[in-house]
């Protein structure tokens, strides 16, 4: 016969529970802050639902961009070069570094500049996922 | 077009010109690459034409494509890749500058930096594409 207190660990308790902690209130995207949603309760639910679906999508895209970064690192490492012109050599090296940073720069720029505009955010992120494929790695892997 | 639209804050102008120079370098490299590639390919094609007529009594223009392929002779110049490589810095600079209009200076700079990275990616991708046999 277990101690009845053991069962307490299996329930969520209620708001009256002294250990109850309220979840963070969903933050409304800036564009919707003007109160277009009259019903606060419904509005909050909508935003919460949208942002959780959005978060999953954002996570998937972030993962793809991370893989792209790895792909670009491998692409650049696979192809060492020496150019006669020192300026050309420096600029080509800068280009390699920029190529590695490109997925992070695209993701970060899109994220920062599309706050509250999730359609634009996903359009730009998907566009970037098409544009930034590390082709040198993909094609190099085949040959 | 009014004078007001043409006026640009000095800091904005400095960012546009500074990044513009870096884009201009990419454009210069792309044009140089196009010229050198075309010269090199033309020389290779001329050498192949000479070889065919002197040793096999064949005309490059009328020879069987299968024979040329067997000999490893290609008359192709990767025009589409070379052209895209030249257009990329111009297009990306324009798009990044347009997207930055009416935005704070640091956002303009961030857009132009991200654009520069896109140009680097496009150049490396096109190079890999041509090396893999694309045109």
């Amino acid at each position: 016969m277990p101690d009845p207190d053991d069962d307490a660990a299996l329930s969520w308790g209620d708001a009256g529970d002294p250990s109850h902690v309220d979840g963070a209130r969903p933050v409304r995207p800036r564009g919707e802050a003007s109160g277009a949603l009259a019903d606060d309760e419904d509005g909050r639910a909508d935003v919460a639902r949208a942002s959780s679906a959005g978060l999953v999508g954002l996570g998937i895209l972030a993962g793809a961009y991370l893989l792209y970064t790895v792909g670009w690192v491998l692409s650049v490492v696979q192809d060492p070069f020496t150019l006669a012109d020192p300026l050309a050599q420096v600029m080509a090296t800068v280009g390699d570094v920029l190529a590695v940073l490109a997925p992070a720069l695209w993701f970060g720029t899109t994220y920062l500049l599309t706050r509250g505009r999730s359609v634009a955010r996903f359009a730009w992120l998907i566009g970037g996922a098409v544009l930034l494929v590390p082709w040198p790695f993909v094609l190099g892997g085949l040959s | 077009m009014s004078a007001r639209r043409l006026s640009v804050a000095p800091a904005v102008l400095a960012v546009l010109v500074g990044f513009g120079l870096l884009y201009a370098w990419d454009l210069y490299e792309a044009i140089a690459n196009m010229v050198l590639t075309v010269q090199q390919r033309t020389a290779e094609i001329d050498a192949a034409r000479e070889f065919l007529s002197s040793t096999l009594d064949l005309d490059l223009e009328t020879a069987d494509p299968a024979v040329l392929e067997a000999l490893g002779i290609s008359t192709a110049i990767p025009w589409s890749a070379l052209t895209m490589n030249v257009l990329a810095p111009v297009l990306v600079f324009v798009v990044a500058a347009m997207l930055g209009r009416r935005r704070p200076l640091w956002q303009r700079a961030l857009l132009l930096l991200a654009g520069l990275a896109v140009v680097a990616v496009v150049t490396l991708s096109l190079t890999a594409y041509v090396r893999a046999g694309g045109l």
Side-chain angles (χ1 to χ4, degrees):
Chain A
M1 187 75 187
D3 190 313
D5 269 5
D6 282 357
D7 288 338
L10 301 174
S11 81
W12 292 108
D14 57 32
D17 187 327
S19 67
H20 174 87
V21 178
D22 225 348
R25 295 267 167 109
V27 179
R28 206 170 281 181
R30 233 186 250 169
E32 297 174 28
S34 51
L37 301 158
D39 188 338
D40 200 67
E41 212 52 48
D42 287 350
R44 209 185 289 166
D46 273 356
V47 172
R49 204 183 309 125
S51 66
S52 63
L55 270 179
V56 172
L58 210 57
I60 292 170
L61 282 163
Y65 276 71
L66 202 61
L67 284 176
Y68 281 12
T69 302
V70 174
W72 277 111
V73 169
L74 295 173
S75 297
V76 166
V77 169
Q78 271 174 7
D79 183 31
F81 56 87
T82 318
L83 300 173
D85 178 9
L87 179 59
Q89 174 77 24
V90 168
M91 295 305 276
T93 308
V94 169
D96 277 3
V97 172
L98 279 173
V100 169
L101 294 178
L105 278 170
W106 186 292
F107 192 93
T109 305
T110 304
Y111 190 85
L112 286 172
L113 270 54
T114 57
R115 283 207 192 125
R117 297 185 295 136
S118 58
V119 174
R121 171 172 287 177
F122 278 97
W124 279 102
L125 285 179
I126 290 167
V130 173
L131 191 63
L132 301 176
V133 173
W135 286 112
F137 173 71
V138 174
L139 296 172
L142 291 174
S143 64
Chain B
M1 195 173 283
S2 70
R4 195 179 59 80
R5 272 201 67 187
L6 286 173
S7 72
V8 180
V12 171
L13 195 65
V15 164
L16 286 174
V17 170
F19 275 101
L21 286 173
L22 295 170
Y23 281 84
W25 173 269
D26 284 338
L27 177 63
Y28 161 72
E29 285 282 76
I31 293 172
N33 185 41
M34 178 184 258
V35 171
L36 285 175
T37 304
V38 171
Q39 279 177 355
Q40 196 185 326
R41 290 295 298 129
T42 308
E44 283 169 10
I45 293 165
D46 284 347
R49 180 182 291 112
E50 180 66 28
F51 167 77
L52 284 176
S53 65
S54 63
T55 59
L56 299 171
D57 200 23
L58 279 172
D59 183 23
L60 181 66
E61 272 67 35
T62 56
D64 187 350
V67 172
L68 294 181
E69 204 186 330
L71 291 166
I73 292 169
S74 158
T75 57
I77 292 174
W79 282 114
S80 62
L82 291 171
T83 308
M84 273 197 275
N85 199 28
V86 169
L87 291 179
V90 180
L91 288 178
V92 174
F93 180 81
V94 170
V95 170
M98 295 292 273
L99 286 171
R101 282 184 312 166
R102 290 187 295 277
R103 285 186 181 276
L105 189 63
W106 69 270
Q107 293 188 358
R108 285 174 182 260
L110 185 62
L111 281 162
L112 287 164
L113 179 64
L116 211 55
V118 169
V119 175
V121 157
V122 168
T123 297
L124 290 175
S125 287
L126 288 172
T127 307
Y129 169 73
V130 171
R131 279 187 193 166
L135 295 172

